[in-house]
Amino acid sequence: MEDQEMQLKVRRVSEKFTESMYVLANEPSVALYRLQEHVRRSLPELAQHKTDMQSWEEQSQGAIYSVEYACSAVRSMAKSSVYFKNIDGLLRHAISMKEQMSISQGRSPPHSPLVAASCASSTSPSS
């Protein structure tokens, strides 16, 4: 009787052990199967998001380049006002010299709007 009881206990232990080994052996493959299933389902959506993000990045880079180019053009235009003021001063000086040369040669100076504007700005109190 003890022998049968012992055999029954040994059989139960060996069945439990076999079952445990089966679960332990298959658990990683079940987990990997679930991961593979998840990746297969979510990968197309992730790939689409990546493509969208790359497209948005390209568009953003283009917009950034355009804005930077426009800003540099505006900065250049702002800096050019100094040159235009200098040219204006040189033109006024040239007109004044021409008038002086005409007066010294005995001719009357030509009456032009630039000469009048030059005279008006040189005599105005705001200058």
Side-chain angles (χ1 to χ4, degrees):
M1 180 104 105
E2 251 179 63
D3 213 17
Q4 286 180 347
E5 199 175 303
M6 184 61 99
Q7 282 180 356
L8 185 61
K9 286 181 180 181
V10 166
R11 187 177 298 139
R12 282 183 191 161
V13 167
S14 66
E15 284 174 1
K16 290 289 183 183
F17 183 73
T18 303
E19 184 181 337
S20 295
M21 291 306 290
Y22 180 77
V23 168
L24 286 174
N26 286 321
E27 183 62 28
S29 56
V30 169
L32 289 175
Y33 175 77
R34 297 288 183 216
L35 281 170
Q36 179 186 11
E37 216 175 38
H38 173 71
V39 167
R40 190 177 301 142
R41 267 189 268 123
S42 63
L43 189 62
E45 187 178 341
L46 289 173
Q48 183 60 43
H49 282 298
K50 179 183 176 186
T51 304
D52 292 344
M53 292 299 288
Q54 287 173 334
S55 171
W56 293 336
E57 180 186 18
E58 289 172 8
Q59 290 174 358
S60 298
Q61 290 297 327
I64 288 169
Y65 176 78
S66 296
V67 167
E68 286 176 349
Y69 185 74
C71 286
S72 108
V74 168
R75 278 190 222 103
S76 295
M77 287 172 27
K79 290 177 185 174
S80 67
S81 68
V82 172
Y83 300 110
F84 284 116
K85 288 178 184 175
N86 190 19
I87 290 169
D88 181 51
L90 290 171
L91 283 172
R92 290 179 191 277
H93 183 69
I95 291 169
S96 164
M97 295 290 285
K98 173 76 169 113
E99 286 176 354
Q100 288 176 359
M101 288 172 53
S102 294
I103 290 172
S104 69
Q105 290 176 354
R107 288 188 252 148
S108 66
H111 206 32
S112 74
L114 287 176
V115 173
S118 174
C119 292
S121 70
S122 64
T123 59
S124 70
S126 64
S127 307

